[in-house]
Amino acid sequence: QVQLVESGGGSVEAGGSLRLSCAASAFNYYTGYMAWFRQPPGKEREWVACFYAGSTDAIIADSVKGRFSISRGRNTLDLQMNGLKPEDSGMYYCAAGPPDGDLRSRCRNAEFSTWGQGTQVTVSS
Protein backbone atom coordinates (compact mmCIF):
# COMPACT_ATOMS: atom_id res chain seq x y z
CA GLN A 1 0.00 0.00 0.00
CA VAL A 2 1.35 3.40 -0.98
CA GLN A 3 1.59 6.14 1.62
CA LEU A 4 1.30 9.83 0.81
CA VAL A 5 2.62 12.73 2.90
CA GLU A 6 1.84 16.34 2.04
CA SER A 7 3.99 19.32 2.99
CA GLY A 8 4.47 22.97 2.13
CA GLY A 9 1.30 24.49 3.51
CA GLY A 10 1.31 27.72 5.47
CA SER A 11 -0.08 31.21 5.75
CA VAL A 12 0.40 33.81 3.06
CA GLU A 13 -1.12 37.10 2.02
CA ALA A 14 -3.33 37.37 -1.03
CA GLY A 15 -1.26 37.43 -4.20
CA GLY A 16 1.45 35.27 -2.67
CA SER A 17 2.66 31.82 -3.65
CA LEU A 18 3.09 28.43 -2.06
CA ARG A 19 4.44 25.14 -3.35
CA LEU A 20 2.90 22.00 -1.95
CA SER A 21 4.62 18.64 -2.21
CA CYS A 22 3.19 15.15 -1.98
CA ALA A 23 5.80 12.54 -1.15
CA ALA A 24 4.84 9.01 -2.09
CA SER A 25 6.42 5.96 -0.48
CA ALA A 26 6.61 4.52 -3.99
CA PHE A 27 5.64 5.46 -7.50
CA ASN A 28 4.09 2.43 -9.12
CA TYR A 29 0.82 1.16 -10.57
CA TYR A 30 -1.04 2.42 -7.50
CA THR A 31 0.13 5.98 -8.14
CA GLY A 32 -0.68 5.92 -11.84
CA TYR A 33 -3.34 8.55 -11.25
CA MET A 34 -2.61 11.28 -8.71
CA ALA A 35 -4.45 14.41 -7.74
CA TRP A 36 -4.66 17.36 -5.42
CA PHE A 37 -7.92 18.15 -3.66
CA ARG A 38 -8.85 20.86 -1.21
CA GLN A 39 -11.54 21.40 1.37
CA PRO A 40 -12.30 24.99 2.31
CA PRO A 41 -13.68 25.61 5.81
CA GLY A 42 -17.33 24.58 5.99
CA LYS A 43 -17.42 23.42 2.39
CA GLU A 44 -17.18 20.14 0.52
CA ARG A 45 -13.95 18.74 -0.83
CA GLU A 46 -13.17 19.73 -4.42
CA TRP A 47 -10.59 18.61 -6.89
CA VAL A 48 -7.86 21.05 -7.90
CA ALA A 49 -5.54 19.21 -10.27
CA CYS A 50 -5.20 15.70 -11.63
CA PHE A 51 -2.23 13.96 -13.14
CA TYR A 52 -1.51 10.80 -15.08
CA ALA A 53 1.95 9.40 -14.47
CA GLY A 54 2.18 8.15 -18.04
CA SER A 55 1.84 11.63 -19.47
CA THR A 56 3.11 15.14 -18.85
CA ASP A 57 -0.43 16.45 -19.16
CA ALA A 58 -2.48 17.53 -16.22
CA ILE A 59 -6.10 18.51 -15.72
CA ILE A 60 -6.52 21.74 -13.79
CA ALA A 61 -9.80 22.91 -12.29
CA ASP A 62 -11.24 26.07 -13.85
CA SER A 63 -11.22 27.82 -10.47
CA VAL A 64 -7.42 27.73 -10.34
CA LYS A 65 -6.45 27.49 -13.99
CA GLY A 66 -3.71 29.94 -14.88
CA ARG A 67 -2.63 30.23 -11.24
CA PHE A 68 -1.94 26.65 -10.18
CA SER A 69 0.21 24.05 -11.89
CA ILE A 70 1.08 20.45 -11.10
CA SER A 71 4.36 18.71 -11.76
CA ARG A 72 6.11 15.48 -10.96
CA GLY A 73 9.36 15.61 -9.05
CA ARG A 74 11.64 12.65 -8.54
CA ASN A 75 9.69 11.38 -5.55
CA THR A 76 6.97 13.94 -5.26
CA LEU A 77 3.92 15.39 -6.94
CA ASP A 78 4.09 19.15 -6.54
CA LEU A 79 1.38 21.80 -6.69
CA GLN A 80 2.66 25.30 -7.44
CA MET A 81 0.14 27.89 -6.37
CA ASN A 82 0.57 31.48 -7.52
CA GLY A 83 -1.68 34.49 -7.19
CA LEU A 84 -3.33 33.03 -4.12
CA LYS A 85 -6.71 34.32 -3.05
CA PRO A 86 -8.50 34.05 0.30
CA GLU A 87 -10.93 31.58 -1.28
CA ASP A 88 -7.99 29.24 -1.90
CA SER A 89 -7.72 28.68 1.84
CA GLY A 90 -8.38 25.18 3.10
CA MET A 91 -6.91 21.79 3.77
CA TYR A 92 -5.12 20.42 0.74
CA TYR A 93 -4.94 16.68 0.18
CA CYS A 94 -2.94 14.49 -2.15
CA ALA A 95 -4.57 11.36 -3.53
CA ALA A 96 -3.47 8.44 -5.68
CA GLY A 97 -4.89 5.38 -7.36
CA PRO A 98 -4.43 2.92 -10.22
CA PRO A 99 -4.70 4.41 -13.73
CA ASP A 100 -8.09 2.87 -14.53
CA GLY A 101 -10.91 4.67 -16.30
CA ASP A 102 -11.26 8.31 -17.23
CA LEU A 103 -9.03 10.56 -15.15
CA ARG A 104 -11.39 13.54 -15.20
CA SER A 105 -14.25 11.39 -14.00
CA ARG A 106 -12.11 9.91 -11.26
CA CYS A 107 -11.22 13.43 -10.14
CA ARG A 108 -14.77 14.71 -10.19
CA ASN A 109 -15.89 11.76 -8.07
CA ALA A 110 -12.78 11.72 -5.86
CA GLU A 111 -12.28 8.04 -6.72
CA PHE A 112 -8.83 7.45 -5.31
CA SER A 113 -7.75 4.60 -3.07
CA THR A 114 -5.01 6.38 -1.13
CA TRP A 115 -5.11 9.77 0.58
CA GLY A 116 -2.63 11.82 2.55
CA GLN A 117 -3.34 13.56 5.86
CA GLY A 118 -3.44 17.01 4.31
CA THR A 119 -1.62 20.30 4.68
CA GLN A 120 -3.30 23.57 5.66
CA VAL A 121 -3.22 26.63 3.42
CA THR A 122 -4.42 29.98 4.75
CA VAL A 123 -4.56 33.05 2.53
CA SER A 124 -5.28 36.38 4.20
CA SER A 125 -6.72 39.39 2.43
Side-chain angles (χ1 to χ4, degrees), residues 25-125:
S25 56
F27 281 97
N28 52 32
Y29 172 75
Y30 298 98
T31 53
Y33 280 171
M34 296 188 74
W36 282 96
F37 288 80
R38 68 184 181 187
Q39 186 164 17
K43 296 185 179 181
E44 293 185 354
R45 180 178 54 192
E46 61 182 5
W47 71 274
V48 174
C50 301
F51 181 81
Y52 169 47
S55 169
T56 58
D57 295 335
I59 302 173
I60 307 296
D62 289 342
S63 60
V64 301
K65 193 170 292 182
R67 300 187 296 119
F68 290 16
S69 61
I70 191 171
S71 62
R72 167 79 184 271
R74 179 169 181 170
N75 296 310
T76 63
L77 183 73
D78 298 333
L79 182 69
Q80 179 66 42
M81 306 187 296
N82 299 324
L84 284 163
K85 304 175 181 180
E87 53 263 42
D88 294 320
S89 297
M91 187 68 80
Y92 281 69
Y93 298 93
C94 178
D100 300 325
D102 179 68
L103 176 58
R104 186 178 292 274
S105 177
R106 293 273 298 275
C107 282
R108 286 175 177 167
N109 297 307
E111 294 175 346
F112 291 89
S113 53
T114 303
W115 293 80
Q117 293 299 308
T119 186
Q120 181 68 41
V121 171
T122 302
V123 185
S124 59
S125 58

